[in-house]
Amino acid sequence: MEKSKSQGTIETYDHPAGGWGAVKYVAINLIKEKVAGGNYRTLFKQNQPEGFDCPGCAWPDRQHASTFEFCENGVKAVAAEATSKRVTTAFFEKNTVAALFEQSDYELEQHGRLTEPMRYDAKTDKYVPVAWSDAFKLIASHLHQLDNPHQAAFYTSGRAGNEAAFVYQLFVRMFGTNNFPDCSNMCHEATSRGLPSTVGVGKGTVTLDDFEHADTLLIFGQNPATNHPRMLGELRECSKRGAVIVSINPLRERGLERFADPQSVVEMLTMSSTKIASTFIQPKLGGDFALIKGVAKRTLELDDEAVAMGTERVLDTAFIAEHCLGFEAFAADLRMQDWQELVDESGVSRDDIEKLSRIYVNGKRVIATWGMGITQHKNSVQTVHMLSNLMMMRGNIGREGAGLCPVRGHSNVQGNRTVGIEEKPSQEFLDRLGKVFDFEPPRGHGYDVVETIHEMLEGHVKVFIGLGGNFVMATPDTPRTFDALRSCNLTVHITTKLNRSHLVHGTDALILPTLGRTEIDKQNGVAQGVTVEDSMSMVHISYGMNTPASKNLMSETAIVANIAHATLGSGKVDWLGYAADYSLVRDAIESVLDGFENYNERIAQPGGFHLRVASREREWLTETGKANFIVHNVEQDTPIRRAKQQHGEQLMTLMTTRSHDQYNTTIYAMDDRYRGVFGQRRVVFINPQDLLMLGFKAGDWVDMSTVWDDGIERHANRFLLVEYDIPRGCIGAYYPETNPLVPLNSVGDVCNTPTSKSIPVLLRPSLPLAIAA
């Protein structure tokens, strides 16, 4: 069986999420990464007050004090960082960039930790060692040669700590630009742009304690078993005490069906599990907006019926009257909304909309969570608005056990935004920053991810610096992004391991290896900690436990500070002082940002502290001073609708998704066991009826091409068709393999996020391998 799986098989997986399967794969990853025995103890310090914060997802920790506060994918992330495998100078001497480029993303990941700074040598097509001081001088030289600061872009991954991110944004703004493309632009930007106009803050309104009091949880567009496995432990507890959990997602995912908690002795010994969701609603891709509007319409109808019968109101009229504006216009729009349009656009039957509506109105304390299934569509901001509208109708914001809960991806993506990684900063923030550091910050909006790629292609951005991440594989329109990076004069990547972005480089290129979060970071003999902010606005400090992978590594904060020192000098800011003592950075954050008072003292407390979210306390930081109902119609003119008119039922809507052995662009292994995929990644999940309609059968190989109107051909070839429980007309496949199908100008309204969950594509049979070759 194992041999056949390694060659690629599709099998039904009947086991619950978690359980012994998770334990098995934890062991496999620790062995595969050759984690030294002494580093196993690291796992017991993961998410602990005196330990380090998981470098994986942003799900919060229960009191930051559980003995086993880690999950399968967290262990994979730690194992990847604690691996004993090394990428040394000898490795680069043996391998040209061209040869490495031919390797898969999984193979590149498996080489191990980078050990010293490297510079690209065009004569040999190899990376060669470079002294840290020379690397910093090269960066400064390129930055000084630019015609203006806006010809540089500064990318940030969500794994960077608050200290590195704050120093980074300060340096870049003192350099003269707000060009901060970051991973938020590709995931929860619709949340960050949508919530401020409804409830005043682009963050969630709940804490982990609210899950103990909720009686209803609506899980939109999420697969927690893969993306936030520790969330399943919380959902398990909610289920066991009787809370109603609804999964609202095109794919019916195993992790929301049954979960065996590896930390539960009873479930592990008895091979039992806990049922998670009681109801599964499967909208078609892009159908969430119409579905949520349908639930809102039915909620209003039920309230009208209650008024007519003289029974208790469904709407929280006191909340609406005291805290909200715009309800009358919203209610009028709902009453005029045609039901059939909502059914057709959502892909959900009227009966299922009724079922979901009844669940919602019967809940006294409702939490709505969502992930990128909501945010990576053209109408994603409108959908976030509509979800806020729905929750406001029954006062489910600012109430114990209720609220809005966007679940972020990477561990500090929310913290990065809080401390200033923002291409559209507020004027208030810039005023404070300029006053504290005695300079005039740039005031114009900078470039986000999609804009940065466009500007590179136009020749307007010449220097790209990436603080973590794998930019070329995380972004859309892969061949065009390759062209964009290759057009730069300089590309710089601050990173722990080799990835494809390092092989798609500018004329000059640097790889700068950094300490991982699991590693001891001593500056002048003093251990330094970095702080992060999770999805629920808890800020806590993290200290590494392992010996660094190499003596020639620098921390992210130190690397950024040294680049700043080399570029700007230290006349106004003591950059090297920041590199030597991160508490000074935290003092600077405190001086600029509200909510960080006594920063260093408060993070010394176990669990850290909660950043105040005004809307949680029913204070609305909107222009009106109220929570705002916002009216939106179902959009009629969309790329999907236009492509459907052209190609009819042959047109499929593609969503990109992760496998279980993957975190963002990092591929840990080739399996996706909860979906029954083993030893392979080039698969397409498709409804059995669509297989029949298209004239295919499970096991056929197909090529995919994008239907778009810009004259650019986009293809992804040789994918295996797999029957799956997914709505008609919708298909799913893994990224980054399908990122070449996502047009660069296919973005969400307002947020400019790539629409990676709604791409119009056509399928055609693949040529036999012998002919294709």
Side-chain angles (χ1 to χ4, degrees), residues 94-373:
K94 296 177 183 177
N95 293 281
T96 63
V97 167
L100 289 170
F101 187 82
E102 295 303 313
Q103 297 185 12
S104 70
D105 296 284
Y106 171 66
E107 289 171 319
L108 293 173
E109 167 72 20
Q110 292 306 304
H111 290 304
R113 291 289 302 278
L114 294 157
T115 58
E116 56 190 307
M118 309 296 291
R119 176 180 179 177
Y120 180 68
D121 177 31
K123 293 181 181 179
T124 61
D125 189 37
K126 294 179 180 179
Y127 276 98
V128 298
V130 62
W132 279 107
S133 58
D134 291 336
F136 299 137
K137 289 177 183 177
L138 179 65
I139 296 169
S141 174
H142 273 279
L143 291 175
H144 289 151
Q145 290 173 33
L146 297 176
D147 294 335
N148 64 76
H150 307 303
Q151 289 184 319
F154 301 84
Y155 178 73
T156 317
S157 160
R159 67 168 289 143
N162 283 348
E163 293 75 14
F166 182 83
V167 174
Y168 197 41
Q169 67 82 30
L170 176 61
F171 153 58
V172 172
R173 291 194 165 103
M174 294 190 82
F175 178 65
T177 187
N178 286 317
N179 287 348
F180 283 111
D182 78 309
C183 57
S184 290
N185 299 150
M186 294 182 284
C187 54
H188 263 286
E189 199 66 83
T191 300
S192 299
R193 304 303 178 205
L195 288 182
S197 53
T198 59
V199 298
V201 181
K203 298 182 181 184
T205 67
V206 302
T207 67
L208 205 53
D209 289 341
D210 286 311
F211 280 76
E212 295 181 353
H213 303 283
D215 59 39
T216 305
L217 295 104
L218 308 179
I219 314 296
F220 287 92
Q222 267 186 281
N223 179 18
T226 290
N227 300 334
H228 313 92
R230 283 184 293 131
M231 181 180 179
L232 282 182
E234 211 61 49
L235 295 180
R236 173 180 177 270
E237 293 304 311
C238 292
S239 176
K240 290 176 77 69
R241 62 175 174 76
V244 177
I245 301 174
V246 184
S247 169
I248 305 159
N249 195 45
L251 295 178
R252 181 167 174 140
E253 301 284 17
R254 173 52 49 85
L256 285 170
E257 294 178 335
R258 292 181 290 133
F259 174 57
D261 190 348
Q263 299 175 39
S264 169
V265 175
V266 173
E267 287 188 348
M268 295 298 283
L269 292 180
T270 62
M271 305 291 284
S272 60
S273 59
T274 300
K275 180 180 179 180
I276 302 298
S278 58
T279 301
F280 290 82
I281 304 294
Q282 294 177 263
K284 68 181 184 182
L285 291 169
D288 298 275
F289 173 84
L291 171 62
I292 297 168
K293 190 170 187 180
V295 175
K297 179 177 175 66
R298 185 61 185 137
T299 299
L300 183 63
E301 291 177 350
L302 290 170
D303 184 71
D304 289 341
E305 294 170 12
V307 171
M309 297 174 62
T311 56
E312 183 181 354
R313 295 287 297 269
V314 170
L315 298 180
D316 188 336
T317 55
F319 174 84
I320 293 171
E322 181 179 354
H323 294 284
C324 302
L325 289 178
F327 177 73
E328 291 78 10
F330 176 64
D333 177 72
L334 290 181
R335 290 192 170 98
M336 291 188 299
Q337 174 65 58
D338 177 65
W339 263 116
Q340 192 58 50
E341 181 180 47
L342 296 178
V343 170
D344 292 343
E345 291 300 317
S346 67
V348 178
S349 71
R350 182 75 180 271
D351 286 345
D352 276 351
I353 295 177
E354 176 73 22
K355 181 192 303 183
L356 181 56
S357 302
R358 293 282 179 176
I359 290 172
Y360 176 64
V361 300
N362 288 336
K364 302 299 183 185
R365 300 166 184 261
V366 182
I367 292 176
T369 80
W370 68 95
M372 286 184 285

Side-chain angles (χ1 to χ4, degrees), residues 465-476:
I465 299 177
L467 179 57
N470 185 357
F471 186 81
V472 300
M473 300 313 290
T475 46

